[in-house]
Amino acid sequence: MNKIEQLNNWELKEKDGIKYFQLRLELEKLQCIVITSVGGLSFPSENPELLQDNLKQVQRIFGIKQVNILKQTHSDRSYYMPEDFKFNYSLDGDGLYTDKANIFMGVRIADCLPIFLFNQTKKIIGIVHSGWKGTLQEISKKMILNMRARFNLKPIDISFAFGPSIGQCCYEINSDLAHVFSEFTRARNIRNALIEQDNKSYLNLKLINQKILENTGLRNKGIIDLCSFCEKDLLFSSRRKDVNKRNLAIVGYRE
Ligand SMILES: [Zn+2]
């Protein structure tokens, strides 16, 4: 497979020397973006000053008024973002959703999966940070329940898309965790999420999250099939020991 085939409805674009992925959508004002490491922007939690500076750069480059992020603790907590929500890095959580325009929400990633959720008719958007812990806690499913209750949505009214994460090729997990995931996927009728090779277990994080959302009734709008560990020139990877380096995934609706 070449890179274009692996992008699945996403495009690799460039602006001011920054390379980023953007999802093709019917509603162009709704924007799902993943900023790559090309261009030198990183969003580490360990360096709040650099994080704030680079968030400001993103606001300038993309002409965005505000980008809100959370502390990210591999939890199952998500929040509705009201208009007056301010950058609140001290708030524990891994998911944000809103019906407000012109305020973008972001998650920082290096191997974990960024999940975009949206309804193009009602202009409702959300973003989730889901690694293996968030996946086992089904954070995305819990946030969807909250979104459905607040906005009166059916599952079919919500679409999803995934940015890049670590691929099964490079995601070795220990036998205890493999056992947990084996039970988890069997209970949900999800197949081929674990591959055993030379006494090692490899996890397909994307596939599990995709099946969870499809089984919930959501529409799949595009999954970037690139591995953050393999794509050294494009993406950060904590397993590759990119210390204090994170990519940023953002979603927002411009009015
Ligand atoms: Zn890989």
Side-chain angles (χ1 to χ4, degrees):
M1 262 197 301
N2 64 35
K3 276 229 172 79
I4 301 293
E5 287 167 352
Q6 289 168 294
L7 291 185
N8 295 319
N9 212 28
W10 288 79
E11 280 177 284
L12 186 57
K13 300 172 129 186
E14 188 167 348
K15 202 171 194 176
D16 287 8
I18 307 294
K19 279 196 179 166
Y20 62 98
F21 297 105
Q22 184 168 355
L23 183 68
R24 286 195 199 95
L25 286 174
E26 297 83 6
L27 185 65
E28 281 176 25
K29 289 178 175 174
L30 200 164
Q31 297 184 336
C32 301
I33 288 169
V34 179
I35 297 163
T36 73
S37 44
V38 180
L41 291 185
S42 175
F43 305 87
S45 50
E46 298 84 354
N47 187 340
E49 267 179 36
L50 180 68
L51 176 63
Q52 293 239 33
D53 281 355
N54 284 345
L55 284 174
K56 277 183 197 144
Q57 289 273 20
V58 169
Q59 290 170 353
R60 182 186 61 77
I61 293 165
F62 292 94
I64 300 167
K65 195 168 68 179
Q66 205 176 311
V67 179
N68 284 311
I69 60 171
L70 296 168
K71 193 169 175 181
Q72 294 185 202
T73 53
H74 298 279
S75 69
D76 63 352
R77 276 187 297 276
S78 59
Y79 303 90
Y80 170 69
M81 191 184 72
E83 203 135 30
D84 56 359
F85 189 95
K86 286 278 176 277
F87 171 82
N88 190 348
Y89 177 64
S90 58
L91 189 59
D92 278 1
D94 294 83
L96 280 170
Y97 60 97
T98 195
D99 55 350
K100 304 300 175 207
N102 300 322
I103 311 170
F104 277 62
M105 305 171 289
V107 296
R108 294 164 298 107
I109 42 162
D111 295 337
C112 284
L113 182 67
I115 300 178
F116 298 85
L117 299 166
F118 46 88
N119 174 301
Q120 297 186 81
T121 315
K122 295 189 175 179
K123 289 139 190 155
I124 291 157
I125 46 177
I127 193 162
V128 176
H129 162 256
S130 185
W132 67 262
K133 286 181 186 162
T135 300
L136 285 178
Q137 297 175 88
E138 296 188 283
I139 176 176
S140 55
K141 221 170 145 177
K142 288 173 184 163
M143 189 167 101
I144 288 162
L145 282 177
N146 295 337
M147 290 170 78
R148 288 184 55 195
R150 181 178 284 267
F151 304 115
N152 192 24
L153 298 169
K154 298 188 192 75
I156 195 75
D157 298 331
I158 307 174
S159 300
F160 73 90
F162 294 164
S165 71
I166 192 162
Q168 191 162 25
C169 42
C170 300
Y171 201 14
E172 185 190 340
I173 57 170
N174 67 41
S175 55
D176 288 346
L177 192 56
H179 181 71
V180 171
F181 268 104
S182 157
E183 297 290 313
F184 180 87
T185 51
R186 188 178 314 147
R188 286 159 185 78
N189 266 324
I190 301 171
R191 287 163 203 215
N192 305 320
L194 277 166
I195 287 176
E196 306 289 330
Q197 210 167 34
D198 305 328
N199 273 329
K200 290 174 179 172
S201 301
Y202 296 87
L203 186 69
N204 193 331
L205 196 63
K206 268 180 205 154
L207 179 74
I208 297 172
N209 280 280
Q210 177 189 350
K211 293 298 172 195
I212 289 175
L213 297 182
E214 285 176 354
N215 293 345
T216 305
L218 274 69
R219 291 174 209 251
N220 178 353
K221 285 285 181 177
I223 293 171
I224 300 184
D225 194 17
L226 292 177
C227 168
S228 49
F229 192 99
C230 290
E231 296 293 333
K232 294 178 182 61
D233 299 330
L234 214 48
L235 297 163
F236 295 127
S237 163
S238 50
R239 287 232 169 171
R240 215 176 48 228
K241 306 267 185 292
D242 277 332
V243 182
N244 295 352
K245 286 176 179 166
R246 293 288 179 277
N247 295 121
L248 181 73
I250 54 173
V251 65
Y253 173 72
R254 295 170 190 267
E255 213 158 52

